Amino acid sequence: MAEATGSAAVASAAPATTETADHLLRRLEWTVIRRLDGLLQGDYRTVLRGTGIDLADLREYQHHDDVRHIDWNVTARLQTPYVRQFVEDRDLTAWFLLDLSGSVDFGSGETTKRAVSTGFVAALARVITRHGNRVGAVFYGHDVDFVLPPGASRLHVLNLLQRMRRPPEQVGAGTALASLLRQAAGVIKRRSLVFVVSDFISAPGWEEALSRLAQRHEVIAVRLFDPAEMALPDVGLVTVEDAETGEQLLVDAADPDFRARYAALAEAQEAALREAFGRSGADTLELATDDDLLDALLRFADLRRQRARLKTPLRFPAHLQARAEVAA
């Protein structure tokens, strides 16, 4: 059901756009990026945070903290877990793990999931690189096809977009996101901000790989979907085709019992997907084919602010300050 739901009725998807990568980026720079730039990046503080190595302070451990930042010497002396805080470095490396398998070419309206993915990556990559930070990408079709090392120029972003817009070369045996995530874990050496852009219609097994990736990096799962994947419209007899395997099936979409079973199965898959995201430790951003790109990116900015607030340092307790100084 997973593959059939996500890639059915490919023939009804919107036709491929003739807009070049350069025209797309220019359009987004005028309509989206200029409005988004000040929200995601600032002169001194940013919701796209890098890493730092200079110790700034100590505070009590909270449930959302990275256990790798626990100061075990202070913890042992005070009998309470404390974590180290570091001065933020605005140098950021972001990676896009891009699922470009056949199912992302589906779209029940004028926009496909691939087009949504391309617009999101174009806008965010340009916002990040405009401030000297770097972006890289790992491209997945039927396997990991190409790795684009991090770069910071506009030309680099155009190269990324051009590779995203290439159609799949052949029909495969389905998507295995676990392969993308595991190979990416070996490619991305430095702690980075990682966007996994996919419809997550995949063979099982990717959940553990996503969780492992989130243990080392800051991971955002960008989930692409189309409203028709949630509820089958009443269109009578229709032939649906799996875009990744080529398998075809004739279904009676006019049958209310069939549509009810479809909706129930889609709802069950949705619940399982959300549970998997929750267990993984990755943040989640959902992008629908009928979404407005600017609204979606503003949701992303809000997500980053919420994450930043959760990680906002608390001042070291005054009544323990003297003991901490002695312990240190």
Side-chain angles (χ1 to χ4, degrees):
M1 177 64 182
E3 291 292 344
T5 299
S7 52
V10 175
S12 67
T17 178
T18 58
E19 186 179 31
T20 66
D22 183 62
H23 288 164
L24 170 65
L25 193 56
R26 287 180 185 275
R27 176 168 59 81
L28 291 176
E29 284 174 339
W30 279 102
T31 59
V32 175
I33 295 174
R34 289 175 183 271
R35 298 180 62 183
L36 190 69
D37 194 34
L39 296 176
L40 288 181
Q41 299 275 1
D43 291 334
Y44 299 100
R45 300 284 295 182
T46 172
V47 294
L48 299 175
R49 302 165 73 170
T51 57
I53 58 175
D54 296 327
L55 180 64
D57 206 345
L58 292 167
R59 64 171 173 83
E60 287 192 46
Y61 174 85
Q62 299 177 11
H63 73 278
H64 53 74
D65 289 327
D66 190 333
V67 296
R68 291 172 297 183
H69 293 164
I70 293 179
D71 188 313
W72 295 107
N73 289 332
V74 175
T75 296
R77 290 186 175 99
L78 299 184
Q79 300 299 307
T80 302
Y82 277 82
V83 294
R84 292 173 177 244
Q85 295 179 266
F86 299 92
V87 176
E88 292 178 20
D89 180 359
R90 291 189 295 272
D91 180 25
L92 172 76
T93 300
W95 283 85
F96 294 96
L97 310 188
L98 301 172
D99 175 9
L100 303 176
S101 58
S103 64
V104 301
D105 286 316
F106 175 68
S108 59
E110 296 181 354
T111 305
T112 65
K113 290 185 284 186
R114 182 187 290 266
V116 173
S117 174
T118 303
F120 173 80
V121 172
L124 205 53
R126 191 65 188 118
V127 167
I128 293 172
T129 56
R130 277 159 64 98
H131 292 265
N133 298 308
R134 302 184 303 157
V135 297
V138 181
F139 299 83
Y140 179 93
H142 305 298
D143 200 349
V144 173
D145 301 323
F146 185 76
V147 176
L148 182 67
S153 68
R154 188 177 189 277
L155 185 61
H156 181 78
V157 176
L158 287 174
N159 185 20
L160 190 161
L161 297 180
Q162 195 62 41
R163 289 187 174 275
M164 284 190 71
R165 294 156 68 89
R166 293 179 181 177
E169 297 180 358
Q170 59 182 355
V171 175
T175 301
L177 278 180
S179 176
L180 167 62
L181 297 171
R182 288 168 185 157
Q183 292 189 56
V187 169
I188 306 173
K189 303 298 184 183
R190 179 184 176 185
R191 178 173 171 82
S192 304
L193 178 62
V194 179
F195 298 91
V196 183
V197 187
S198 172
D199 55 10
F200 290 90
I201 298 173
S202 168
W206 57 267
E207 299 88 346
E208 181 181 354
L210 181 65
S211 179
R212 289 182 177 274
L213 194 67
Q215 290 176 8
R216 177 173 176 80
H217 305 283
E218 190 166 359
V219 177
I220 299 174
V222 182
R223 188 248 181 139
L224 312 169
F225 71 95
D226 186 275
E229 295 172 338
M230 305 295 113
L232 188 67
D234 183 357
V235 291
L237 287 172
V238 61
T239 299
V240 296
E241 177 180 326
D242 190 308
E244 298 183 3
T245 65
E247 180 182 0
Q248 294 185 343
L249 183 67
L250 179 66
V251 300
D252 183 6
D255 183 351
D257 292 335
F258 178 79
R259 293 201 309 274
R261 292 196 302 271
Y262 181 98
L265 185 53
E267 184 177 348
Q269 287 186 333
E270 184 78 4
L273 186 61
R274 292 180 183 277
E275 183 180 354
F277 285 146
R279 291 197 307 266
S280 71
D283 289 332
T284 308
L285 176 67
E286 295 192 337
L287 298 179
T289 55
D290 57 357
D291 255 345
D292 178 85
L293 179 59
L294 180 59
D295 289 343
L297 289 169
L298 290 176
R299 290 201 307 271
F300 167 73
D302 288 340
L303 176 70
R304 301 302 300 167
R305 288 194 188 90
Q306 291 172 15
R307 171 63 69 183
R309 281 197 295 268
L310 284 175
K311 293 185 176 180
T312 298
L314 300 177
R315 296 302 302 167
F316 201 78
H319 67 283
L320 294 178
Q321 183 68 42
R323 293 173 59 187
E325 290 174 353
V326 172

